[in-house]
């Protein structure tokens, strides 16, 4: 059964949300291990991903191509800790927990892939990258300017750049305030870039949806091509020319 656009969007959101939840559980497992309800939730999500993978594999016309294009989904389902956990070196050094890292990356791949188009809009990914660098640099500089710890410095830099400004830590020296001014400007730029990116992204999505609807309408008309009148054929030609001109202005 082919999903509608709305159903496909809901499916993507649910799968991505489950992936994020599983990433959190994997981080907990890496540090202290999962127990009780956490283990049940982890196995439940894995079962959903297994069913989803089997259904998509069954539906795929080219099985080998599907497996190659969805290798991260396969890594998620492989029990690496069970398969390799018996190795003496992993048991001796307690390194078997590191085997959850491939799963961690694989789980993150799917939501990141879905968000890629958004971050590519208006070069937003570069603004995020610059902001992250400035937060790290600002956290280190404020450490020397104010004598606070690195962790407190990065926390302060993040709060300042996000324009939240809790006020729990505030610079007292001249150099500290200069650093704060630069971080505030970077934060304002990030918020402005986020607003424009959201607007552009949804406008582009709306245009793509309208174009897809037009193409679907044309395909429906072509399916009954023998029944079309001369005027309807001319109308289709006009619509096709308009689509072509918009694509190649």
């Amino acid at each position: 059964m082919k999903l509608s656009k709305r159903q496909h969007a809901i499916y993507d959101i649910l799968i991505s949300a489950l992936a994020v939840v599983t990433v959190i559980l994997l981080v907990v497992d890496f540090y202290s291990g999962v127990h009780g309800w956490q283990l049940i939730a982890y196995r439940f999500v894995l079962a959903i991903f297994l069913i989803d993978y089997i259904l998509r594999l069954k539906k795929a016309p080219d099985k080998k191509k599907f497996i190659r294009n969805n290798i991260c989904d396969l890594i998620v389902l492989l029990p690496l800790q069970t398969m390799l956990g018996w190795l003496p070196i992993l048991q001796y050094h307690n390194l078997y927990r590191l085997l959850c890292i491939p799963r961690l990356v694989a789980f993150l791949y799917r939501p990141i892939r879905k968000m890629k188009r958004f971050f590519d809009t208006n070069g937003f990914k570069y603004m995020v990258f610059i902001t992250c660098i400035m937060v790290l640099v600002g956290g280190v500089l404020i450490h020397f300017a104010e004598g606070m710890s690195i962790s407190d410095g990065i926390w302060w830099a993040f709060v300042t750049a996000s324009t939240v400004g809790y006020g729990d830590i505030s610079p007292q020296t001249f150099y500290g305030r200069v650093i704060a001014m630069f971080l505030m400007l970077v934060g304002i730029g990030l918020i402005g870039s986020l607003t424009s990116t959201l607007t552009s992204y949804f406008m582009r999505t709306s245009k793509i949806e309208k174009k897809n609807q037009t193409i679907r309408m044309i395909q429906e008309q072509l399916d009954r091509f023998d029944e079309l009148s001369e005027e309807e054929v001319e109308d289709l030609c006009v619509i096709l020319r308009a689509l072509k001109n918009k694509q190649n202005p």
Side-chain angles (χ1 to χ4, degrees):
M1 182 181 70
K2 189 175 181 180
L3 298 178
S4 66
K5 184 177 183 299
R6 181 181 179 84
Q7 290 171 333
H8 197 277
I10 294 173
Y11 163 79
D12 284 338
I13 292 172
L14 288 175
I15 292 295
S16 297
L18 288 174
V20 172
V21 170
T22 310
V23 166
I24 297 173
L25 292 175
L26 282 172
V27 172
V28 173
D29 184 36
F30 182 81
Y31 285 103
S32 59
V34 291
H35 308 282
W37 68 268
Q38 297 172 339
L39 183 59
I40 295 173
Y42 180 67
R43 289 175 176 173
F44 176 74
V45 173
L46 282 182
I48 292 177
F49 273 90
L50 177 60
I51 295 171
D52 174 67
Y53 185 85
I54 292 173
L55 291 176
R56 289 188 295 126
L57 177 61
K58 185 178 179 181
K59 186 180 178 181
D62 189 341
K63 312 298 183 186
K64 293 182 179 179
K65 183 178 179 181
F66 174 85
I67 294 174
R68 287 197 305 269
N69 293 340
N70 295 273
I71 191 67
C72 285
D73 292 348
L74 189 58
I75 293 174
V76 164
L77 300 172
L78 289 176
L80 296 178
Q81 289 173 303
T82 303
M83 294 167 59
L84 302 177
W86 58 271
L87 293 175
I89 186 171
L90 294 179
Q91 293 177 348
Y92 181 77
H93 294 288
N94 200 27
L95 295 177
Y96 74 95
R97 292 188 185 276
L98 294 178
L99 294 175
C100 73
I101 293 179
R103 273 189 170 181
L104 184 68
V105 175
F107 270 114
L108 284 173
Y109 173 77
R110 198 161 185 177
I112 289 175
R113 184 179 61 182
K114 297 297 181 183
M115 296 173 64
K116 183 178 182 299
R117 192 172 69 175
F118 173 75
F119 279 98
D120 286 342
T121 304
N122 292 347
F124 184 62
K125 59 185 177 183
Y126 300 112
M127 189 62 194
V128 172
F129 176 75
I130 292 171
T131 302
C132 291
I133 295 298
M134 290 299 296
V135 166
L136 292 175
V137 172
V140 173
L141 292 178
I142 205 71
H143 158 71
F144 292 106
E146 298 288 331
M148 65 180 69
S149 66
I150 293 290
S151 59
D152 284 344
I154 293 177
W155 165 251
W156 170 84
F158 177 80
V159 170
T160 303
S162 65
T163 69
V164 174
Y166 283 124
D168 54 341
I169 303 174
S170 58
Q172 304 297 325
T173 65
F174 171 76
Y175 294 108
R177 291 175 178 175
V178 171
I179 295 169
M181 290 169 60
F182 278 105
L183 283 174
M184 290 174 192
L185 293 175
V186 170
I188 293 172
L190 177 65
I191 299 301
S193 178
L194 175 61
T195 303
S196 64
T197 299
L198 284 170
T199 304
S200 299
Y201 177 78
F202 286 113
M203 286 182 64
R204 181 182 299 177
T205 302
S206 177
K207 289 180 181 179
I208 292 174
E209 177 59 22
K210 288 180 180 178
K211 180 180 177 181
N212 291 338
Q213 288 178 354
T214 303
I215 292 174
R216 284 195 295 268
M217 183 271 292
I218 293 173
Q219 289 175 338
E220 291 174 358
Q221 293 292 328
L222 291 176
D223 289 339
R224 46 183 289 272
F225 184 77
D226 294 337
E227 303 173 7
L228 297 179
S229 63
E230 291 292 335
E231 292 182 356
E232 289 175 327
V233 172
E234 288 295 330
D235 291 339
L236 285 177
C237 291
V238 171
I239 295 173
L240 287 172
R241 291 193 192 99
L243 287 175
K244 187 66 175 178
N245 292 335
K246 285 184 179 179
Q247 187 173 353
N248 300 311

